[in-house]
């Protein structure tokens, strides 16, 4: 077997062969057949180990079967060709090689280099003999195709960046951010050694923009990200990639992809979560750094100075409600999970009558309930009618006021959640937490949990119905905390640190100093 980049001169050899692509990607397939139109009519099937991708796939008006390696069966390879359509073509080749006895394949596996891969390969070749530079690269948020305003400068990467600025790391290192629109960060233009580049410059038509982007990517010593990591897929030995991720929570991973070779390290909050992340992300133990999450440091320094700008109801106590991600906005329909039904779009408080009753009780208790949705969540799915003491904290308002949720979560006297990692973060403050569990069976059977008996691992009150929620609200308003014992018993298992020094630990674990 051998791996070869698909070139124009290969077209004559392949034009009469059936084409099997390895890994389903509509974008890759579209680009492949736009560049090699003579092969478009020959697509016979797609091989993909991701079960969510398997089945019939409608591409260019044709239903194409998508099957696993084991389902594909024996192909007449002398009359067929295998083309890898993946950013991770080297990994894909290793998988094919390891399973060639199943496929009966022993020839040349081609990989299609799309526009970005082609550009990147040229820059990797240009810089391969250059020494790495004192550059620390940051990126937060999901892939560019799922861009949400504000998420590209947020989360754990943002917290670590701010710590490094505070401690003067930028005197030694160039701190470079990859964002959507660099012009939005003019406030940093006079900050020494801080640069903002666009992640769109990876395929820019401007040579100058490409040069700036790939110099940082190819020469950075450290690359930090909180979700999307594909942009750093071809890093060379000596470059250290760190997946800071979003949080350690209760939900399991939707799709298993082994990440052992996709980054060098990830950070977690305890030995318990180290074992969980090794399992669900396919990592070695030495790749998992038990440091705590960078953004958890914000919990201990709540931004009261910014709170007043958000227009939330005035009250003597605040309860935040952070449900886990469910129904996506219209631009991201493929990300949706099942969501609550009813008049309000909320679990437990599913009718206007219940909403009005809850609002009345909150007013009597001088308590406000602040509902904060996931950035992907469709705010149009929630209707709060004219509730006075129940407010929706819009992600747009947070972005406009440059506020991260953990910077104000410390203001909350209590938290309501379900399966979100925000509840695990909030445990560090040792305050009451309530969990809405009206769909725990359904959710466990579809998305699934990292713990076998999820209820044993929930550090707070169980809320199955409206009366349970009202009881929790009343306990908080009266300063009662009946589940404190369970929460504190789980705290030591789920967290190793609670000192607000996680950023410092991350830098020290990686040997980065100012």
């Amino acid at each position: 077997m051998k791996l070869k980049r698909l070139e124009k001169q290969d077209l004559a050899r392949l034009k009469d062969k059936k084409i099997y692509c390895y890994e389903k990607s509509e974008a890759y397939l579209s680009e492949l057949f736009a560049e090699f139109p003579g092969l478009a009519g020959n697509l016979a099937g797609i091989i993909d180990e991701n079960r969510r991708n398997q089945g019939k796939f409608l591409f260019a008006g044709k239903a194409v079967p998508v099957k696993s390696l084991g389902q594909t069966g024996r192909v007449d390879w002398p009359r067929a060709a295998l083309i890898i359509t993946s950013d991770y073509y080297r990994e894909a080749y290793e998988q094919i090689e390891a399973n060639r006895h199943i496929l009966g394949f022993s020839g040349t596996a081609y990989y299609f280099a799309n526009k970005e891969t082609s550009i990147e390969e040229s820059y990797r070749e240009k810089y391969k003999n250059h020494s790495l530079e004192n550059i620390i690269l940051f990126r937060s948020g999901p892939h560019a195709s799922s861009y949400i305003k504000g998420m590209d400068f947020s989360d754990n990467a943002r917290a670590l960046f701010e710590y490094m600025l505070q401690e003067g790391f930028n005197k030694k290192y160039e701190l470079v951010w990859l964002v959507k629109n660099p012009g939005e960060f003019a406030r940093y233009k006079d900050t020494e050694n801080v640069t903002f580049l666009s992640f769109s410059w990876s395929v820019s038509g401007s040579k100058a923009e490409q040069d700036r982007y790939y110099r940082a990517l190819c020469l950075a010593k450290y690359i930090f990200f909180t979700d999307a990591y594909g942009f750093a897929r071809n890093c060379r030995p000596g470059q250290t990639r760190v997946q800071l991720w979003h949080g350690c929570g209760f939900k399991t991973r939707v799709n298993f992809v082994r990440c052992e070779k996709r980054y060098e390290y990830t950070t977690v909050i305890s030995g318990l979560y180290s074992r969980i992340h090794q399992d669900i992300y396919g990592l070695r133990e030495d790749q998992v750094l038990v440091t705590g999450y960078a953004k958890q440091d914000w919990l201990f320094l709540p931004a009261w100075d910014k709170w007043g700008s958000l227009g939330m109801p005035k009250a003597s106590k605040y309860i935040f409600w952070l449900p886990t991600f469910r129904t996506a906005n219209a631009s991201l329909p493929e990300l949706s999970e099942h969501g609550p039904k009813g008049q309000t779009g909320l679990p437990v408080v599913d009718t206007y009558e219940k909403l009005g009753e809850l609002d009345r009780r909150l007013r009597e208790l001088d308590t406000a309930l602040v509902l904060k949705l996931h950035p992907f969540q469709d705010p149009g799915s929630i209707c709060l009618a004219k509730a006075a003491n129940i407010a929706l904290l819009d992600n747009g308002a947070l972005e406009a006021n440059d506020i991260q949720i953990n910077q104000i979560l410390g203001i909350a006297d209590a938290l309501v959640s379900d399966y979100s990692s925000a509840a695990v973060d909030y445990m560090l403050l040792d305050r009451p937490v309530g969990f809405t569990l009206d769909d725990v069976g359904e959710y466990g059977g579809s998305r699934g949990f990292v713990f076998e008996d999820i209820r044993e691992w929930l550090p707070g009150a169980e809320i199955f119905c409206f009366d349970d929620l009202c009881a929790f609200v009343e306990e908080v308003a009266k300063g009662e905390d009946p589940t404190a014992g369970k929460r504190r018993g789980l705290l030591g298992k789920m967290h190793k640190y609670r000192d607000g020094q996680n950023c410092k630990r991350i830098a020290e674990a990686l040997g980065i100093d100012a």
Side-chain angles (χ1 to χ4, degrees), residues 301-309 315-316 318 407-408 410-413 431:
L301 297 167
W304 281 102
D305 58 321
K306 294 185 175 183
W307 176 246
S309 64
S316 61
Y318 289 96
Q407 292 177 323
I408 57 171
I411 290 170
D413 297 283
R431 299 174 192 171

Side-chain angles (χ1 to χ4, degrees), residues 302-348:
W304 281 102
D305 58 321
K306 294 185 175 183
W307 176 246
S309 64
L310 293 172
M312 294 295 102
K314 303 292 185 184
S316 61
K317 290 200 173 182
Y318 289 96
I319 300 173
F320 279 32
W321 189 352
L322 274 65
T324 193
F325 169 65
R326 298 302 174 85
T327 307
N329 63 42
S331 65
L332 303 168
E334 73 282 359
L335 297 178
S336 291
E337 295 174 354
H338 67 279
K341 305 294 190 292
Q343 296 172 321
T344 65
L346 294 171
V348 180

Side-chain angles (χ1 to χ4, degrees), residues 14 34 43 67 99 144 184 231 275 300 309 319 323 360 467 484:
L14 303 182
L43 182 61
K67 299 179 179 180
N99 292 280
E184 295 176 356
F231 73 98
R275 293 186 291 275
F300 300 96
S309 64
I319 300 173
R360 181 188 66 78
D467 288 343

Side-chain angles (χ1 to χ4, degrees), residues 3 84 86-97 111 120-121 124 233-235 261:
L3 178 66
I84 298 169
S86 168
D87 287 338
Y88 290 93
Y89 59 85
R90 292 189 183 92
E91 275 188 34
Y93 177 71
E94 289 174 2
Q95 293 167 3
I96 294 166
E97 192 171 36
Y111 75 90
E120 186 191 17
E121 285 184 340
R124 290 288 179 188
R233 60 193 175 273
N234 293 319
C235 284
K261 296 180 180 179

Side-chain angles (χ1 to χ4, degrees), residues 234-303:
N234 293 319
C235 284
R236 74 195 215 197
Q239 291 189 293
T240 300
R241 299 165 294 182
V242 186
Q243 173 63 282
L244 297 170
W245 202 231
H246 309 298
C248 291
F250 305 103
K251 302 176 292 187
T252 192
R253 194 178 186 187
V254 175
N255 300 316
F256 177 80
V257 177
R258 191 168 189 88
C259 294
E260 180 182 2
K261 296 180 180 179
R262 300 193 173 189
Y263 40 83
E264 281 63 53
Y265 299 103
T266 192
T267 55
V268 295
I269 62 175
S270 66
L272 170 69
Y273 275 104
S274 173
R275 293 186 291 275
I276 289 170
H277 279 230
Q278 288 171 52
D279 181 43
I280 65 177
Y281 293 98
L283 300 169
R284 304 184 312 273
E285 182 178 2
D286 63 290
Q287 290 183 275
V288 186
L289 306 177
V290 182
T291 57
Y293 277 141
K295 68 179 179 180
Q296 290 174 341
D297 291 353
W298 282 329
L299 292 170
F300 300 96
L301 297 167

Side-chain angles (χ1 to χ4, degrees), residues 118-297:
S118 296
I119 295 170
E120 186 191 17
E121 285 184 340
S122 69
Y123 277 97
R124 290 288 179 188
E125 180 65 22
K126 172 183 176 179
Y127 286 115
K128 69 179 182 180
N129 295 321
H130 288 233
S131 297
L132 296 178
E133 298 181 6
N134 280 347
I135 298 172
I136 300 177
L137 193 63
F138 297 89
R139 181 168 176 176
S140 68
H143 299 285
S145 60
S146 301
Y147 169 75
I148 296 288
K149 189 171 175 58
M151 288 185 73
D152 57 342
F153 187 53
S154 65
D155 216 281
N156 285 310
R158 168 87 179 261
L160 184 61
F161 165 75
E162 291 186 348
Y163 164 80
M164 288 185 173
L165 272 187
Q166 177 184 311
E167 297 299 317
F169 281 65
N170 56 316
K171 297 184 185 303
K172 178 178 179 180
Y173 292 93
E174 181 182 359
L175 307 183
V176 180
W177 266 93
L178 300 181
V179 295
K180 175 70 171 177
N181 300 306
E184 295 176 356
F185 302 93
R187 60 189 182 275
Y188 290 98
K189 66 182 176 63
D190 296 324
T191 306
E192 181 183 2
N193 268 343
V194 172
T195 305
F196 284 79
L197 308 175
S198 175
F199 49 67
S200 300
W201 291 355
S202 64
V203 290
S204 172
S206 163
K207 182 68 162 52
E209 289 177 347
Q210 283 186 19
D211 285 347
R212 294 184 68 193
Y213 175 91
Y214 284 106
R215 170 191 165 267
L217 181 62
C218 295
L219 297 181
K221 287 184 178 177
Y222 300 95
I223 303 174
F224 292 99
F225 34 82
T226 60
D227 188 347
Y229 49 80
F231 73 98
R233 60 193 175 273
N234 293 319
C235 284
R236 74 195 215 197
Q239 291 189 293
T240 300
R241 299 165 294 182
V242 186
Q243 173 63 282
L244 297 170
W245 202 231
H246 309 298
C248 291
F250 305 103
K251 302 176 292 187
T252 192
R253 194 178 186 187
V254 175
N255 300 316
F256 177 80
V257 177
R258 191 168 189 88
C259 294
E260 180 182 2
K261 296 180 180 179
R262 300 193 173 189
Y263 40 83
E264 281 63 53
Y265 299 103
T266 192
T267 55
V268 295
I269 62 175
S270 66
L272 170 69
Y273 275 104
S274 173
R275 293 186 291 275
I276 289 170
H277 279 230
Q278 288 171 52
D279 181 43
I280 65 177
Y281 293 98
L283 300 169
R284 304 184 312 273
E285 182 178 2
D286 63 290
Q287 290 183 275
V288 186
L289 306 177
V290 182
T291 57
Y293 277 141
K295 68 179 179 180
Q296 290 174 341
D297 291 353

